[in-house]
Amino acid sequence: GDVENATGLSRSSLYQAFGSKEALFDAALDDYVATFMGPLLRPMESASAGRVDVEAFFGNLAERFRGDPDEARKGCLWVNSLAEFSGRSDPLAVNADAYRQRLYDAFDNALGGRTLEGDARTVAQRRARMLAATALGLWLAVRIDADEAAALCEAVRAEVRSW
């Protein structure tokens, strides 16, 4: 009903356009990643990305969390969906894996992991995995306490700066 009211479309029109509730939800998640998460990740995905882009990512999260705590407490649509639907074998689970991989790849790219070899490569991969998990955790933490989540973002940012 909320979607019908917001779009002005009838239920049958929504089903004709998307085929199912799941397809509509999947389209909403794709749009969220493209319009909200994409701009946060894109600087770390560029060929010229570096550690400062990782710092900026966590700084941007801290600003968002502090800027509108009530909005921030809603968390991240993708992370909320990951938590809700994990373990399923449907397309959402496939997309969840792709999103998690995108986070890892962005951090790995910005830390230079793709161009490093040996021990340096291992360290970059380990840090990228840690940062991807941390980003997911921060989106859950913000639902509990936006100020604390922002402080954690700043702590991660300082840690990355020390690398």
Side-chain angles (χ1 to χ4, degrees), residues 1-4 7-17 21:
D2 291 341
V3 176
E4 290 174 284
T7 63
L9 297 173
S10 69
R11 191 167 300 221
S12 63
S13 294
L14 287 168
Y15 280 114
Q16 285 177 352
K21 289 181 198 178

Side-chain angles (χ1 to χ4, degrees), residues 28-128:
L29 287 173
D30 287 345
D31 181 68
Y32 179 83
V33 170
T35 61
F36 182 75
M37 291 306 294
L40 286 172
L41 295 175
R42 226 167 270 119
M44 294 189 301
E45 295 172 325
S46 76
S48 62
R51 189 192 75 225
V52 296
D53 296 301
V54 176
E55 292 175 45
F57 174 84
F58 288 102
N60 287 336
L61 285 186
E63 286 178 26
R64 288 175 185 273
F65 294 171
R66 286 189 181 112
D68 189 348
D70 290 334
E71 185 66 24
R73 281 190 190 92
K74 293 177 183 176
C76 169
L77 179 61
W78 252 110
V79 174
N80 293 343
S81 300
L82 291 173
E84 179 70 24
F85 299 111
S86 67
R88 291 186 174 186
S89 60
D90 59 16
L92 181 60
V94 172
N95 289 340
D97 287 341
Y99 173 64
R100 191 185 57 207
Q101 187 65 44
R102 183 175 178 187
L103 269 175
Y104 167 79
D105 288 343
F107 288 122
D108 187 50
N109 182 64
L111 295 174
R114 295 179 182 155
T115 61
L116 300 171
E117 295 180 16
D119 289 342
R121 173 78 181 126
T122 301
V123 169
Q125 289 175 323
R126 185 180 69 234
R127 287 176 173 171

